[in-house]
C-alpha cells in the first residue's frame, strides 16, 4: 500500500526565496505547456508530446532572455511540472470516457493560488542529511519536524506551501504489510449525523466537536480585519494569512479528531459498516456549513484505508437503504419520519427506538454483519457517550533517503 507522510518544514528567509523562485518557475513552465497544447487544439493539430515540450519550453527557453531565469532552479522541478500537466489531461480524458469520475479540464495556475508545490525525484539527488534536515538542490538544507519514522526510503519528495504560509515535505512511500490485528470479535454499524458525529450500533454516541462553529468568533474577527484593509497593501497580505491560519487550525483539529476516532473503531471492531451519504447534495441545503464542518467523506475514507491496512472488514451500504424507517427488532418498515422525531415506537412490535441507534443497527444488518440491539437503546433509558483519549507521537529519527 502507498501512503503519504507529511512533515512540517521550517525554511530560512533565503530558503523561502529559493522555494518561491522554484514555485514560480514550475508554474510558468506549466502554463507555457498548457498554452502550447491549447493553441494546437484550437488549430486542429495533434497535442505536443512531453519530449517536444521539454525541449522547447525548458532547454531552448533557458537560452532566451525572457526565460533565462529558469536555470536558477533544478531542471527536475520543471520536468515534473510537465508531467503534472500530462497527468491532468489524462485524468480529464479518462473522465470523459467514463474510466473515472469526471473532472474539469486543466486550468492555468496563478501565483495567488492557495497551494504552491514542486516535486523532486531521485534524479534531483535530494537527500535527508545525518542531522535530519532535508537537502534540496539549489535550495539548501531545510529544517524538518519529524513526528514519526518513514517506513521505507521514498523516491520523491513534494514541497508544499499552503494558504497559511506553512511549508510541508510530502513523501509517498510503499509500506510493508502491517501485522493483522488480533480478532476483535465485534462487528459494528456506524450512523453519521450532525447532532452526534457518529452513533454506533451498540448504543455508543460520539458527540460532534463542531470545530468550525466553535472557531466562528475568532474567524469573524480575522475576516472583519481583512475586509477593512486596503487592496494590494502589505497589511492586507498579513490579514489574509491570519484568516488562512485560523481556518488551518480548524482543519487540523478536525483531521486529528477523524484520525483518532477511525483508528479506535478499526482497532476495536472486526468489521465496520457505514452508509454512503450524499454529501454533495446535503452541502446544497441550509445545513451546508454543518455538513462541511463534520467532514464525513474524509472520515469514511480514513476508515476504508485503515481497514485495508490492518486486515479489517469495511462495508459501505447504499444511500437509499431505509435505515431510519425500519424497526431493527421486527424488521417492519414504519415509514419516513421528520428529522425532529428522535424517538419512535414501532406500530408492529411496540419497541421504542432511539432514531440514530436504530439506524446504526440497520446499517450493520444491511451490510450483513452479525449484530444485535443488545446494549443499544431500545427504550427511553439514557446512554452515556464515552470520550476517547488522545495519543501522542514520540519524536523519532527518520530513515535516510
Amino acid at each position: 500500500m502507498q501512503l503519504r507522510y507529511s512533515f512540517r518544514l521550517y525554511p530560512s528567509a533565503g530558503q523561502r526565496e529559493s522555494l518561491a523562485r522554484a514555485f514560480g518557475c514550475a508554474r510558468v513552465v506549466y502554463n507555457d505547456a498548457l498554452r502550447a497544447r491549447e493553441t494546437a487544439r484550437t488549430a486542429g493539430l495533434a497535442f505536443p508530446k512531453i519530449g517536444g515540450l521539454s525541449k522547447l519550453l525548458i532547454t531552448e527557453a533557458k537560452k532566451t532572455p525572457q526565460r533565462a531565469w529558469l536555470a536558477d532552479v533544478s531542471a527536475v522541478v520543471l520536468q515534473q511540472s510537465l508531467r503534472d500537466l500530462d497527468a491532468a489531461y489524462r485524468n480529464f480524458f479518462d473522465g470523459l470516457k467514463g474510466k473515472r469520475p469526471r473532472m474539469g479540464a486543466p486550468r492555468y495556475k496563478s501565483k495567488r493560488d492557495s497551494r504552491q508545490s514542486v516535486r523532486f525525484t531521485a534524479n534531483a539527488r535530494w537527500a535527508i542529511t545525518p542531522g535530519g534536515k532535508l537537502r534540496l538542490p539549489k535550495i539548501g538544507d531545510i529544517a524538518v519536524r519529524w513526528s514519526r519514522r518513514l517506513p521505507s526510503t521514498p523516491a520523491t519528495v513534494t514541497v508544499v506551501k499552503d494558504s497559511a504560509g506553512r511549508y510541508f515535505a510530502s513523501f509517498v512511500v510503499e509500506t510493508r504489510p502491517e501485522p493483522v490485528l488480533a480478532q476483535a470479535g465485534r462487528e459494528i454499524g456506524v450512523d453519521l449525523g450532525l447532532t452526534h458525529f457518529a452513533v454506533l450500533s451498540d448504543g455508543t454516541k460520539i458527540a460532534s466537536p463542531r470545530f468550525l462553529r466553535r472557531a466562528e468568533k475568532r474567524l469573524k474577527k480575522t475576516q472583519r480585519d481583512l475586509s477593512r484593509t486596503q487592496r494590494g497593501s502589505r497589511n492586507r497580505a498579513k490579514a489574509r494569512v491570519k484568516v488562512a491560519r485560523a481556518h488551518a487550525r480548524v482543519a487540523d483539529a478536525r483531521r486529528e479528531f477523524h484520525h483518532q476516532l477511525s483508528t479506535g473503531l478499526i482497532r476495536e471492531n472486526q468489521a465496520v459498516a457505514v452508509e454512503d451519504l450524499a454529501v454533495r447534495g446535503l452541502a446544497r441545503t441550509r445545513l451546508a456549513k454543518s455538513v462541511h464542518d463534520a467532514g464525513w467523506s474524509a472520515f469514511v475514507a480514513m476508515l476504508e484505508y485503515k481497514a485495508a491496512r490492518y486486515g479489517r472488514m469495511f462495508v459501505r451500504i447504499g444511500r437509499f437503504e431505509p435505515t431510519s424507517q425500519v424497526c431493527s427488532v421486527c424488521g417492519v418498515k414504519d415509514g419516513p419520519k421528520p428529522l425532529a422525531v428522535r424517538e419512535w415506537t414501532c406500530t408492529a412490535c411496540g419497541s421504542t427506538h432511539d432514531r440514530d441507534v436504530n439506524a446504526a443497527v440497520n446499517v450493520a444488518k444491511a451490510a450483513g454483519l452479525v449484530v444485535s440491539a443488545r446494549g443499544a437503546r431500545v427504550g427511553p433509558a439514557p446512554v452515556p457517550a464515552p470520550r476517547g483519549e488522545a495519543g501522542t507521537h514520540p519524536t523519532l529519527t527518520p530513515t535516510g533517503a
Side-chain angles (χ1 to χ4, degrees):
M1 178 183 293
Q2 285 188 337
L3 292 179
R4 182 177 298 276
Y5 287 73
S6 294
F7 304 93
R8 183 77 180 271
L9 296 179
Y10 294 91
S12 63
Q15 291 169 344
R16 287 196 295 270
E17 291 182 4
S18 299
L19 285 172
R21 191 178 301 113
F23 295 145
C25 291
R27 182 178 63 250
V28 167
V29 170
Y30 184 96
N31 289 342
D32 288 346
L34 178 56
R35 189 176 298 109
R37 287 194 165 180
E38 287 300 304
T39 301
R41 182 186 64 83
T42 304
L45 304 176
F47 267 19
K49 302 295 184 181
I50 286 186
L53 291 174
S54 176
K55 182 178 180 181
L56 176 65
L57 301 178
I58 299 178
T59 306
E60 299 296 334
K62 289 179 181 179
K63 302 175 183 178
T64 64
Q66 295 81 7
R67 293 287 189 268
W69 34 264
L70 291 178
D72 296 339
V73 303
S74 172
V76 173
V77 168
L78 308 180
Q79 294 286 352
Q80 292 303 309
S81 186
L82 294 180
R83 293 184 181 276
D84 289 342
L85 177 64
D86 195 57
Y89 268 109
R90 188 166 54 252
N91 292 337
F92 171 64
F93 290 128
D94 287 347
L96 295 179
K97 297 175 184 176
K99 296 181 179 179
R100 56 167 294 145
R102 285 203 173 196
M103 60 184 304
R107 64 168 183 85
Y108 291 101
K109 293 186 176 181
S110 170
K111 65 180 180 180
R112 296 179 179 83
D113 288 344
S114 60
R115 185 180 185 274
Q116 305 282 346
S117 65
V118 290
R119 187 165 65 255
F120 298 86
T121 63
N123 294 335
R125 297 181 180 179
W126 66 272
I128 298 175
T129 66
K133 293 188 175 182
L134 180 62
R135 179 169 295 167
L136 300 176
K138 297 190 177 182
I139 294 177
D141 296 352
I142 305 178
V144 187
R145 172 62 175 171
W146 300 102
S147 57
R148 50 185 171 174
R149 184 180 290 109
L150 291 172
S152 62
T153 303
T156 65
V157 58
T158 302
V159 179
V160 180
K161 180 185 177 183
D162 66 5
S163 59
R166 303 178 300 178
Y167 294 84
F168 296 91
S170 178
F171 304 90
V172 176
V173 298
E174 291 283 348
T175 59
R176 303 181 183 91
E178 293 287 340
V180 178
L181 297 175
Q183 291 287 330
R186 286 206 320 164
E187 298 179 342
I188 205 154
V190 181
D191 179 65
L192 300 175
L194 296 177
T195 304
H196 292 90
F197 177 79
V199 178
L200 311 184
S201 56
D202 63 358
T204 304
K205 293 186 177 182
I206 294 95
S208 181
R210 301 184 181 182
F211 295 106
L212 181 61
R213 296 288 186 182
R214 286 160 46 187
E216 277 185 334
K217 186 176 180 180
R218 179 186 299 169
L219 286 170
K220 181 179 178 180
K221 181 181 183 304
T222 56
Q223 289 166 343
R224 183 173 60 240
D225 293 342
L226 174 63
S227 66
R228 291 174 176 174
T229 57
Q230 184 179 357
R231 291 185 179 275
S233 66
R234 291 188 176 182
N235 285 338
R236 188 174 183 85
K238 295 177 183 178
R240 185 203 60 78
V241 172
K242 287 184 179 180
V243 174
R245 286 177 177 172
H247 279 286
R249 281 192 289 268
V250 173
D252 291 344
R254 183 188 297 116
R255 188 181 306 110
E256 181 68 13
F257 168 75
H258 287 166
H259 271 298
Q260 292 182 9
L261 180 57
S262 59
T263 299
L265 290 177
I266 292 301
R267 289 187 180 277
E268 297 169 4
N269 300 281
Q270 187 63 29
V272 179
V274 298
E275 188 176 4
D276 184 19
L277 297 171
V279 178
R280 186 173 298 179
L282 290 171
R284 299 193 189 102
T285 67
R286 61 184 178 87
L287 300 174
K289 182 181 288 189
S290 297
V291 169
H292 287 304
D293 192 12
W296 294 326
S297 296
F299 173 71
V300 172
M302 289 181 186
L303 281 176
E304 187 170 12
Y305 89 78
K306 289 179 181 180
R309 188 181 184 191
Y310 294 106
R312 298 303 202 199
M313 181 180 177
F314 174 82
V315 184
R316 194 196 299 256
I317 71 167
R319 64 184 62 171
F320 299 109
E321 287 287 338
T323 55
S324 298
Q325 304 177 26
V326 176
C327 174
S328 59
V329 176
C330 64
V332 172
K333 187 175 180 180
D334 204 33
K337 301 163 188 64
L339 289 176
V341 177
R342 309 315 302 173
E343 291 185 2
W344 57 280
T345 302
C346 177
T347 56
C349 65
S351 301
T352 301
H353 298 287
D354 178 286
R355 179 194 183 103
D356 297 327
V357 175
N358 178 74
V361 174
N362 286 330
V363 167
K365 289 185 175 181
L369 305 185
V370 181
V371 297
S372 67
R374 184 177 59 185
R377 184 175 175 184
V378 184
V383 176
R387 291 181 175 272
E389 295 183 358
T392 58
H393 299 284
T395 301
L396 301 175
T397 304
T399 58

